Amino acid sequence: MIRSIPNPPMDRDDVARFRCNLEKHLRGDFNAEERHRNAERKARTEANANRIIANCGGKNPLLGY
C-alpha cells in the first residue's frame, strides 16, 4: 500500500520544477517531442485499462461495476 505523505520534503529546486511543469501544462505549451510522449502514455494507459476490463468479464474492478 502506498502511504500518503502530507508534507513531503521538498527543496527550492523541486518547487521551481513543479511550478514550471504546472505552468507548461496549464498553457499547453509543449514541444512536439513532449506531445508525442504524452500521446504514447495516454494510449498505453487506455490499452491497459481496456485489458483489465476485458479480463474481468467487462466489469471494472476498480469502480465496482
Side-chain angles (χ1 to χ4, degrees), residues 13-57:
D13 292 336
D14 292 333
V15 174
R17 188 171 43 254
F18 171 77
R19 288 182 177 163
C20 178
N21 288 336
L22 180 63
E23 181 180 353
K24 188 181 249 190
H25 176 75
L26 292 175
R27 291 181 186 213
D29 192 20
F30 297 110
N31 62 27
E33 181 183 338
E34 291 169 332
R35 280 194 196 100
H36 181 68
R37 276 188 293 171
N38 290 342
E40 283 181 342
R41 184 183 305 134
K42 183 176 180 181
R44 195 169 54 242
T45 321
E46 288 178 6
N48 286 336
N50 289 336
R51 191 175 78 217
I52 290 170
I53 292 170
N55 287 338
C56 294

mmCIF file of all heavy atoms in Angstrom, residues 13-57:
data_model
loop_
_atom_site.group_PDB
_atom_site.id
_atom_site.type_symbol
_atom_site.label_atom_id
_atom_site.label_comp_id
_atom_site.label_asym_id
_atom_site.label_seq_id
_atom_site.Cartn_x
_atom_site.Cartn_y
_atom_site.Cartn_z
ATOM 1 N N ASP A 13 14.535 23.694 -5.612
ATOM 2 C CA ASP A 13 14.567 23.193 -6.982
ATOM 3 C C ASP A 13 13.316 22.378 -7.311
ATOM 4 O O ASP A 13 12.768 22.475 -8.409
ATOM 5 C CB ASP A 13 15.806 22.340 -7.220
ATOM 6 C CG ASP A 13 17.081 23.152 -7.180
ATOM 7 O OD1 ASP A 13 17.015 24.375 -7.430
ATOM 8 O OD2 ASP A 13 18.143 22.563 -6.893
ATOM 9 N N ASP A 14 12.868 21.548 -6.360
ATOM 10 C CA ASP A 14 11.654 20.759 -6.572
ATOM 11 C C ASP A 14 10.443 21.657 -6.764
ATOM 12 O O ASP A 14 9.605 21.410 -7.637
ATOM 13 C CB ASP A 14 11.405 19.824 -5.385
ATOM 14 C CG ASP A 14 12.438 18.726 -5.276
ATOM 15 O OD1 ASP A 14 13.020 18.348 -6.313
ATOM 16 O OD2 ASP A 14 12.666 18.249 -4.142
ATOM 17 N N VAL A 15 10.322 22.680 -5.943
ATOM 18 C CA VAL A 15 9.193 23.606 -6.040
ATOM 19 C C VAL A 15 9.236 24.357 -7.364
ATOM 20 O O VAL A 15 8.223 24.499 -8.050
ATOM 21 C CB VAL A 15 9.195 24.588 -4.844
ATOM 22 C CG1 VAL A 15 8.124 25.652 -5.017
ATOM 23 C CG2 VAL A 15 9.000 23.841 -3.534
ATOM 24 N N ALA A 16 10.421 24.819 -7.766
ATOM 25 C CA ALA A 16 10.559 25.546 -9.026
ATOM 26 C C ALA A 16 10.209 24.642 -10.210
ATOM 27 O O ALA A 16 9.516 25.063 -11.150
ATOM 28 C CB ALA A 16 11.970 26.080 -9.175
ATOM 29 N N ARG A 17 10.662 23.381 -10.191
ATOM 30 C CA ARG A 17 10.357 22.438 -11.265
ATOM 31 C C ARG A 17 8.855 22.163 -11.323
ATOM 32 O O ARG A 17 8.259 22.118 -12.398
ATOM 33 C CB ARG A 17 11.152 21.154 -11.049
ATOM 34 C CG ARG A 17 11.049 20.187 -12.194
ATOM 35 C CD ARG A 17 12.008 19.000 -12.096
ATOM 36 N NE ARG A 17 12.113 18.409 -10.772
ATOM 37 C CZ ARG A 17 13.166 18.557 -9.966
ATOM 38 N NH1 ARG A 17 14.202 19.267 -10.324
ATOM 39 N NH2 ARG A 17 13.185 17.971 -8.780
ATOM 40 N N PHE A 18 8.223 21.991 -10.159
ATOM 41 C CA PHE A 18 6.781 21.756 -10.115
ATOM 42 C C PHE A 18 6.017 22.936 -10.721
ATOM 43 O O PHE A 18 5.127 22.757 -11.537
ATOM 44 C CB PHE A 18 6.326 21.528 -8.672
ATOM 45 C CG PHE A 18 4.838 21.496 -8.530
ATOM 46 C CD1 PHE A 18 4.118 20.379 -8.891
ATOM 47 C CD2 PHE A 18 4.152 22.603 -8.053
ATOM 48 C CE1 PHE A 18 2.737 20.358 -8.780
ATOM 49 C CE2 PHE A 18 2.778 22.588 -7.923
ATOM 50 C CZ PHE A 18 2.074 21.460 -8.287
ATOM 51 N N ARG A 19 6.386 24.150 -10.328
ATOM 52 C CA ARG A 19 5.695 25.338 -10.833
ATOM 53 C C ARG A 19 5.885 25.491 -12.332
ATOM 54 O O ARG A 19 4.960 25.866 -13.054
ATOM 55 C CB ARG A 19 6.168 26.570 -10.088
ATOM 56 C CG ARG A 19 5.657 26.603 -8.673
ATOM 57 C CD ARG A 19 6.089 27.848 -7.955
ATOM 58 N NE ARG A 19 5.518 27.872 -6.607
ATOM 59 C CZ ARG A 19 5.948 28.643 -5.639
ATOM 60 N NH1 ARG A 19 6.943 29.483 -5.866
ATOM 61 N NH2 ARG A 19 5.386 28.604 -4.465
ATOM 62 N N CYS A 20 7.093 25.203 -12.806
ATOM 63 C CA CYS A 20 7.370 25.284 -14.245
ATOM 64 C C CYS A 20 6.522 24.264 -15.008
ATOM 65 O O CYS A 20 5.913 24.592 -16.040
ATOM 66 C CB CYS A 20 8.854 25.042 -14.490
ATOM 67 S SG CYS A 20 9.310 25.072 -16.220
ATOM 68 N N ASN A 21 6.455 23.026 -14.498
ATOM 69 C CA ASN A 21 5.651 21.990 -15.154
ATOM 70 C C ASN A 21 4.174 22.329 -15.112
ATOM 71 O O ASN A 21 3.446 22.090 -16.081
ATOM 72 C CB ASN A 21 5.903 20.634 -14.510
ATOM 73 C CG ASN A 21 7.260 20.083 -14.853
ATOM 74 O OD1 ASN A 21 7.852 20.446 -15.871
ATOM 75 N ND2 ASN A 21 7.782 19.219 -14.001
ATOM 76 N N LEU A 22 3.704 22.870 -14.004
ATOM 77 C CA LEU A 22 2.300 23.250 -13.888
ATOM 78 C C LEU A 22 1.947 24.350 -14.883
ATOM 79 O O LEU A 22 0.931 24.285 -15.569
ATOM 80 C CB LEU A 22 1.985 23.711 -12.465
ATOM 81 C CG LEU A 22 0.549 24.147 -12.205
ATOM 82 C CD1 LEU A 22 -0.421 22.996 -12.416
ATOM 83 C CD2 LEU A 22 0.418 24.705 -10.806
ATOM 84 N N GLU A 23 2.805 25.359 -14.968
ATOM 85 C CA GLU A 23 2.563 26.452 -15.910
ATOM 86 C C GLU A 23 2.553 25.937 -17.347
ATOM 87 O O GLU A 23 1.692 26.308 -18.143
ATOM 88 C CB GLU A 23 3.645 27.514 -15.751
ATOM 89 C CG GLU A 23 3.471 28.700 -16.663
ATOM 90 C CD GLU A 23 4.559 29.741 -16.498
ATOM 91 O OE1 GLU A 23 5.390 29.600 -15.580
ATOM 92 O OE2 GLU A 23 4.570 30.683 -17.293
ATOM 93 N N LYS A 24 3.481 25.059 -17.669
ATOM 94 C CA LYS A 24 3.549 24.486 -19.017
ATOM 95 C C LYS A 24 2.278 23.699 -19.331
ATOM 96 O O LYS A 24 1.729 23.784 -20.423
ATOM 97 C CB LYS A 24 4.772 23.582 -19.112
ATOM 98 C CG LYS A 24 5.061 23.070 -20.490
ATOM 99 C CD LYS A 24 6.276 22.172 -20.464
ATOM 100 C CE LYS A 24 7.396 22.866 -21.173
ATOM 101 N NZ LYS A 24 8.538 21.983 -21.403
ATOM 102 N N HIS A 25 1.791 22.942 -18.354
ATOM 103 C CA HIS A 25 0.580 22.146 -18.545
ATOM 104 C C HIS A 25 -0.645 23.040 -18.718
ATOM 105 O O HIS A 25 -1.475 22.799 -19.592
ATOM 106 C CB HIS A 25 0.372 21.204 -17.360
ATOM 107 C CG HIS A 25 -0.886 20.420 -17.435
ATOM 108 N ND1 HIS A 25 -1.028 19.344 -18.285
ATOM 109 C CD2 HIS A 25 -2.062 20.561 -16.794
ATOM 110 C CE1 HIS A 25 -2.261 18.870 -18.154
ATOM 111 N NE2 HIS A 25 -2.898 19.583 -17.252
ATOM 112 N N LEU A 26 -0.769 24.066 -17.886
ATOM 113 C CA LEU A 26 -1.938 24.945 -17.960
ATOM 114 C C LEU A 26 -1.978 25.725 -19.269
ATOM 115 O O LEU A 26 -3.054 25.962 -19.825
ATOM 116 C CB LEU A 26 -1.950 25.907 -16.773
ATOM 117 C CG LEU A 26 -2.206 25.263 -15.412
ATOM 118 C CD1 LEU A 26 -2.078 26.298 -14.309
ATOM 119 C CD2 LEU A 26 -3.564 24.598 -15.362
ATOM 120 N N ARG A 27 -0.833 26.113 -19.765
ATOM 121 C CA ARG A 27 -0.785 26.851 -21.031
ATOM 122 C C ARG A 27 -0.823 25.933 -22.241
ATOM 123 O O ARG A 27 -1.070 26.389 -23.354
ATOM 124 C CB ARG A 27 0.484 27.696 -21.090
ATOM 125 C CG ARG A 27 0.470 28.826 -20.116
ATOM 126 C CD ARG A 27 1.721 29.629 -20.233
ATOM 127 N NE ARG A 27 1.741 30.629 -19.178
ATOM 128 C CZ ARG A 27 2.278 31.824 -19.308
ATOM 129 N NH1 ARG A 27 2.856 32.165 -20.427
ATOM 130 N NH2 ARG A 27 2.253 32.663 -18.313
ATOM 131 N N GLY A 28 -0.554 24.646 -22.052
ATOM 132 C CA GLY A 28 -0.490 23.719 -23.166
ATOM 133 C C GLY A 28 0.723 23.982 -24.044
ATOM 134 O O GLY A 28 0.686 23.775 -25.253
ATOM 135 N N ASP A 29 1.789 24.444 -23.432
ATOM 136 C CA ASP A 29 2.984 24.881 -24.145
ATOM 137 C C ASP A 29 3.998 23.738 -24.231
ATOM 138 O O ASP A 29 5.072 23.804 -23.651
ATOM 139 C CB ASP A 29 3.583 26.084 -23.403
ATOM 140 C CG ASP A 29 4.641 26.789 -24.215
ATOM 141 O OD1 ASP A 29 4.656 26.623 -25.437
ATOM 142 O OD2 ASP A 29 5.447 27.506 -23.603
ATOM 143 N N PHE A 30 3.651 22.672 -24.978
ATOM 144 C CA PHE A 30 4.526 21.517 -25.118
ATOM 145 C C PHE A 30 5.163 21.518 -26.503
ATOM 146 O O PHE A 30 4.540 21.916 -27.476
ATOM 147 C CB PHE A 30 3.738 20.218 -24.950
ATOM 148 C CG PHE A 30 3.121 20.064 -23.591
ATOM 149 C CD1 PHE A 30 1.753 20.139 -23.424
ATOM 150 C CD2 PHE A 30 3.907 19.834 -22.488
ATOM 151 C CE1 PHE A 30 1.188 19.995 -22.183
ATOM 152 C CE2 PHE A 30 3.342 19.686 -21.235
ATOM 153 C CZ PHE A 30 1.981 19.768 -21.086
ATOM 154 N N ASN A 31 6.389 21.031 -26.579
ATOM 155 C CA ASN A 31 7.006 20.886 -27.895
ATOM 156 C C ASN A 31 6.553 19.563 -28.511
ATOM 157 O O ASN A 31 5.830 18.782 -27.893
ATOM 158 C CB ASN A 31 8.527 21.001 -27.815
ATOM 159 C CG ASN A 31 9.162 19.931 -26.958
ATOM 160 O OD1 ASN A 31 8.621 18.853 -26.807
ATOM 161 N ND2 ASN A 31 10.319 20.221 -26.399
ATOM 162 N N ALA A 32 6.971 19.287 -29.724
ATOM 163 C CA ALA A 32 6.494 18.101 -30.453
ATOM 164 C C ALA A 32 6.881 16.808 -29.745
ATOM 165 O O ALA A 32 6.076 15.866 -29.679
ATOM 166 C CB ALA A 32 7.050 18.120 -31.872
ATOM 167 N N GLU A 33 8.082 16.747 -29.200
ATOM 168 C CA GLU A 33 8.518 15.530 -28.517
ATOM 169 C C GLU A 33 7.671 15.257 -27.274
ATOM 170 O O GLU A 33 7.271 14.114 -27.017
ATOM 171 C CB GLU A 33 9.985 15.657 -28.123
ATOM 172 C CG GLU A 33 10.539 14.433 -27.424
ATOM 173 C CD GLU A 33 11.980 14.618 -26.980
ATOM 174 O OE1 GLU A 33 12.663 15.489 -27.550
ATOM 175 O OE2 GLU A 33 12.398 13.900 -26.064
ATOM 176 N N GLU A 34 7.385 16.296 -26.498
ATOM 177 C CA GLU A 34 6.568 16.128 -25.297
ATOM 178 C C GLU A 34 5.139 15.730 -25.650
ATOM 179 O O GLU A 34 4.543 14.897 -24.971
ATOM 180 C CB GLU A 34 6.575 17.416 -24.480
ATOM 181 C CG GLU A 34 7.912 17.718 -23.852
ATOM 182 C CD GLU A 34 7.997 19.109 -23.268
ATOM 183 O OE1 GLU A 34 7.293 20.020 -23.751
ATOM 184 O OE2 GLU A 34 8.784 19.290 -22.326
ATOM 185 N N ARG A 35 4.593 16.312 -26.705
ATOM 186 C CA ARG A 35 3.246 15.916 -27.145
ATOM 187 C C ARG A 35 3.218 14.451 -27.545
ATOM 188 O O ARG A 35 2.272 13.725 -27.233
ATOM 189 C CB ARG A 35 2.805 16.774 -28.330
ATOM 190 C CG ARG A 35 2.307 18.114 -27.939
ATOM 191 C CD ARG A 35 1.571 18.786 -29.101
ATOM 192 N NE ARG A 35 1.440 20.200 -28.822
ATOM 193 C CZ ARG A 35 2.204 21.152 -29.327
ATOM 194 N NH1 ARG A 35 3.149 20.853 -30.189
ATOM 195 N NH2 ARG A 35 2.029 22.410 -28.992
ATOM 196 N N HIS A 36 4.259 14.021 -28.244
ATOM 197 C CA HIS A 36 4.342 12.628 -28.678
ATOM 198 C C HIS A 36 4.431 11.692 -27.470
ATOM 199 O O HIS A 36 3.736 10.675 -27.416
ATOM 200 C CB HIS A 36 5.555 12.443 -29.595
ATOM 201 C CG HIS A 36 5.712 11.061 -30.117
ATOM 202 N ND1 HIS A 36 4.819 10.501 -31.007
ATOM 203 C CD2 HIS A 36 6.647 10.114 -29.874
ATOM 204 C CE1 HIS A 36 5.201 9.270 -31.282
ATOM 205 N NE2 HIS A 36 6.305 9.011 -30.599
ATOM 206 N N ARG A 37 5.267 12.040 -26.479
ATOM 207 C CA ARG A 37 5.372 11.221 -25.266
ATOM 208 C C ARG A 37 4.052 11.161 -24.517
ATOM 209 O O ARG A 37 3.656 10.102 -24.025
ATOM 210 C CB ARG A 37 6.457 11.756 -24.343
ATOM 211 C CG ARG A 37 7.836 11.259 -24.697
ATOM 212 C CD ARG A 37 8.821 11.665 -23.660
ATOM 213 N NE ARG A 37 8.920 13.134 -23.728
ATOM 214 C CZ ARG A 37 9.562 13.886 -22.863
ATOM 215 N NH1 ARG A 37 10.167 13.359 -21.853
ATOM 216 N NH2 ARG A 37 9.613 15.199 -23.008
ATOM 217 N N ASN A 38 3.353 12.305 -24.419
ATOM 218 C CA ASN A 38 2.068 12.337 -23.726
ATOM 219 C C ASN A 38 1.038 11.482 -24.451
ATOM 220 O O ASN A 38 0.249 10.776 -23.810
ATOM 221 C CB ASN A 38 1.567 13.768 -23.584
ATOM 222 C CG ASN A 38 2.388 14.580 -22.611
ATOM 223 O OD1 ASN A 38 3.121 14.028 -21.796
ATOM 224 N ND2 ASN A 38 2.273 15.892 -22.696
ATOM 225 N N ALA A 39 1.027 11.539 -25.785
ATOM 226 C CA ALA A 39 0.082 10.732 -26.558
ATOM 227 C C ALA A 39 0.373 9.244 -26.385
ATOM 228 O O ALA A 39 -0.551 8.430 -26.230
ATOM 229 C CB ALA A 39 0.139 11.122 -28.029
ATOM 230 N N GLU A 40 1.654 8.860 -26.400
ATOM 231 C CA GLU A 40 2.013 7.458 -26.182
ATOM 232 C C GLU A 40 1.599 6.990 -24.797
ATOM 233 O O GLU A 40 1.074 5.889 -24.625
ATOM 234 C CB GLU A 40 3.526 7.264 -26.337
ATOM 235 C CG GLU A 40 4.003 7.241 -27.752
ATOM 236 C CD GLU A 40 5.507 7.025 -27.836
ATOM 237 O OE1 GLU A 40 6.217 7.236 -26.818
ATOM 238 O OE2 GLU A 40 5.968 6.664 -28.925
ATOM 239 N N ARG A 41 1.837 7.828 -23.783
ATOM 240 C CA ARG A 41 1.465 7.473 -22.411
ATOM 241 C C ARG A 41 -0.043 7.298 -22.289
ATOM 242 O O ARG A 41 -0.522 6.344 -21.659
ATOM 243 C CB ARG A 41 1.948 8.544 -21.443
ATOM 244 C CG ARG A 41 1.687 8.204 -19.990
ATOM 245 C CD ARG A 41 2.115 9.306 -19.041
ATOM 246 N NE ARG A 41 3.500 9.671 -19.242
ATOM 247 C CZ ARG A 41 3.946 10.919 -19.326
ATOM 248 N NH1 ARG A 41 3.116 11.931 -19.209
ATOM 249 N NH2 ARG A 41 5.220 11.179 -19.502
ATOM 250 N N LYS A 42 -0.808 8.190 -22.914
ATOM 251 C CA LYS A 42 -2.268 8.102 -22.856
ATOM 252 C C LYS A 42 -2.766 6.835 -23.550
ATOM 253 O O LYS A 42 -3.641 6.133 -23.028
ATOM 254 C CB LYS A 42 -2.890 9.337 -23.497
ATOM 255 C CG LYS A 42 -4.392 9.360 -23.406
ATOM 256 C CD LYS A 42 -4.964 10.643 -23.961
ATOM 257 C CE LYS A 42 -6.480 10.638 -23.854
ATOM 258 N NZ LYS A 42 -7.056 11.850 -24.400
ATOM 259 N N ALA A 43 -2.191 6.514 -24.718
ATOM 260 C CA ALA A 43 -2.595 5.304 -25.441
ATOM 261 C C ALA A 43 -2.259 4.053 -24.629
ATOM 262 O O ALA A 43 -3.064 3.108 -24.571
ATOM 263 C CB ALA A 43 -1.904 5.259 -26.800
ATOM 264 N N ARG A 44 -1.088 4.045 -23.999
ATOM 265 C CA ARG A 44 -0.686 2.898 -23.186
ATOM 266 C C ARG A 44 -1.615 2.730 -21.990
ATOM 267 O O ARG A 44 -2.011 1.611 -21.643
ATOM 268 C CB ARG A 44 0.762 3.101 -22.737
ATOM 269 C CG ARG A 44 1.431 1.881 -22.207
ATOM 270 C CD ARG A 44 2.932 2.044 -22.019
ATOM 271 N NE ARG A 44 3.266 3.201 -21.198
ATOM 272 C CZ ARG A 44 3.980 4.249 -21.622
ATOM 273 N NH1 ARG A 44 4.437 4.295 -22.853
ATOM 274 N NH2 ARG A 44 4.254 5.253 -20.807
ATOM 275 N N THR A 45 -2.016 3.837 -21.370
ATOM 276 C CA THR A 45 -2.919 3.786 -20.222
ATOM 277 C C THR A 45 -4.285 3.244 -20.619
ATOM 278 O O THR A 45 -4.861 2.404 -19.928
ATOM 279 C CB THR A 45 -3.097 5.188 -19.613
ATOM 280 O OG1 THR A 45 -1.879 5.879 -19.630
ATOM 281 C CG2 THR A 45 -3.554 5.119 -18.185
ATOM 282 N N GLU A 46 -4.811 3.731 -21.742
ATOM 283 C CA GLU A 46 -6.115 3.261 -22.211
ATOM 284 C C GLU A 46 -6.075 1.785 -22.576
ATOM 285 O O GLU A 46 -7.012 1.039 -22.280
ATOM 286 C CB GLU A 46 -6.579 4.093 -23.402
ATOM 287 C CG GLU A 46 -6.988 5.494 -23.024
ATOM 288 C CD GLU A 46 -7.400 6.329 -24.232
ATOM 289 O OE1 GLU A 46 -7.470 5.789 -25.354
ATOM 290 O OE2 GLU A 46 -7.637 7.533 -24.038
ATOM 291 N N ALA A 47 -4.981 1.353 -23.213
ATOM 292 C CA ALA A 47 -4.852 -0.058 -23.581
ATOM 293 C C ALA A 47 -4.819 -0.937 -22.329
ATOM 294 O O ALA A 47 -5.468 -1.995 -22.290
ATOM 295 C CB ALA A 47 -3.596 -0.270 -24.420
ATOM 296 N N ASN A 48 -4.090 -0.508 -21.311
ATOM 297 C CA ASN A 48 -4.037 -1.276 -20.058
ATOM 298 C C ASN A 48 -5.393 -1.330 -19.377
ATOM 299 O O ASN A 48 -5.811 -2.375 -18.877
ATOM 300 C CB ASN A 48 -2.996 -0.687 -19.109
ATOM 301 C CG ASN A 48 -1.592 -0.997 -19.546
ATOM 302 O OD1 ASN A 48 -1.361 -1.967 -20.251
ATOM 303 N ND2 ASN A 48 -0.651 -0.174 -19.143
ATOM 304 N N ALA A 49 -6.109 -0.210 -19.360
ATOM 305 C CA ALA A 49 -7.441 -0.187 -18.737
ATOM 306 C C ALA A 49 -8.392 -1.113 -19.479
ATOM 307 O O ALA A 49 -9.141 -1.879 -18.853
ATOM 308 C CB ALA A 49 -7.981 1.233 -18.723
ATOM 309 N N ASN A 50 -8.352 -1.077 -20.798
ATOM 310 C CA ASN A 50 -9.233 -1.953 -21.580
ATOM 311 C C ASN A 50 -8.876 -3.415 -21.375
ATOM 312 O O ASN A 50 -9.764 -4.277 -21.321
ATOM 313 C CB ASN A 50 -9.155 -1.594 -23.065
ATOM 314 C CG ASN A 50 -9.820 -0.269 -23.351
ATOM 315 O OD1 ASN A 50 -10.682 0.176 -22.606
ATOM 316 N ND2 ASN A 50 -9.399 0.387 -24.426
ATOM 317 N N ARG A 51 -7.588 -3.732 -21.239
ATOM 318 C CA ARG A 51 -7.164 -5.113 -20.997
ATOM 319 C C ARG A 51 -7.651 -5.589 -19.634
ATOM 320 O O ARG A 51 -8.132 -6.723 -19.495
ATOM 321 C CB ARG A 51 -5.649 -5.210 -21.089
ATOM 322 C CG ARG A 51 -5.164 -6.644 -21.126
ATOM 323 C CD ARG A 51 -3.679 -6.722 -21.336
ATOM 324 N NE ARG A 51 -3.048 -6.416 -20.055
ATOM 325 C CZ ARG A 51 -1.932 -5.723 -19.908
ATOM 326 N NH1 ARG A 51 -1.320 -5.247 -20.954
ATOM 327 N NH2 ARG A 51 -1.434 -5.497 -18.713
ATOM 328 N N ILE A 52 -7.572 -4.736 -18.623
ATOM 329 C CA ILE A 52 -8.049 -5.110 -17.287
ATOM 330 C C ILE A 52 -9.551 -5.366 -17.311
ATOM 331 O O ILE A 52 -10.044 -6.358 -16.771
ATOM 332 C CB ILE A 52 -7.694 -4.006 -16.262
ATOM 333 C CG1 ILE A 52 -6.195 -3.976 -16.021
ATOM 334 C CG2 ILE A 52 -8.442 -4.213 -14.951
ATOM 335 C CD1 ILE A 52 -5.718 -2.783 -15.215
ATOM 336 N N ILE A 53 -10.298 -4.480 -17.968
ATOM 337 C CA ILE A 53 -11.749 -4.636 -18.034
ATOM 338 C C ILE A 53 -12.118 -5.892 -18.810
ATOM 339 O O ILE A 53 -13.026 -6.640 -18.416
ATOM 340 C CB ILE A 53 -12.388 -3.376 -18.642
ATOM 341 C CG1 ILE A 53 -12.234 -2.200 -17.673
ATOM 342 C CG2 ILE A 53 -13.866 -3.606 -18.957
ATOM 343 C CD1 ILE A 53 -12.618 -0.854 -18.250
ATOM 344 N N ALA A 54 -11.401 -6.174 -19.906
ATOM 345 C CA ALA A 54 -11.693 -7.369 -20.699
ATOM 346 C C ALA A 54 -11.414 -8.643 -19.905
ATOM 347 O O ALA A 54 -12.147 -9.628 -20.022
ATOM 348 C CB ALA A 54 -10.864 -7.357 -21.976
ATOM 349 N N ASN A 55 -10.368 -8.629 -19.085
ATOM 350 C CA ASN A 55 -10.028 -9.811 -18.290
ATOM 351 C C ASN A 55 -10.999 -10.040 -17.140
ATOM 352 O O ASN A 55 -11.025 -11.111 -16.561
ATOM 353 C CB ASN A 55 -8.600 -9.679 -17.725
ATOM 354 C CG ASN A 55 -7.561 -9.863 -18.793
ATOM 355 O OD1 ASN A 55 -7.825 -10.464 -19.838
ATOM 356 N ND2 ASN A 55 -6.369 -9.379 -18.546
ATOM 357 N N CYS A 56 -11.806 -9.054 -16.808
ATOM 358 C CA CYS A 56 -12.744 -9.160 -15.686
ATOM 359 C C CYS A 56 -14.171 -9.349 -16.189
ATOM 360 O O CYS A 56 -15.119 -8.995 -15.478
ATOM 361 C CB CYS A 56 -12.645 -7.932 -14.804
ATOM 362 S SG CYS A 56 -11.053 -7.802 -13.981
ATOM 363 N N GLY A 57 -14.350 -9.823 -17.383
ATOM 364 C CA GLY A 57 -15.688 -10.083 -17.904
ATOM 365 C C GLY A 57 -16.476 -8.823 -18.167
ATOM 366 O O GLY A 57 -17.692 -8.808 -18.052
#
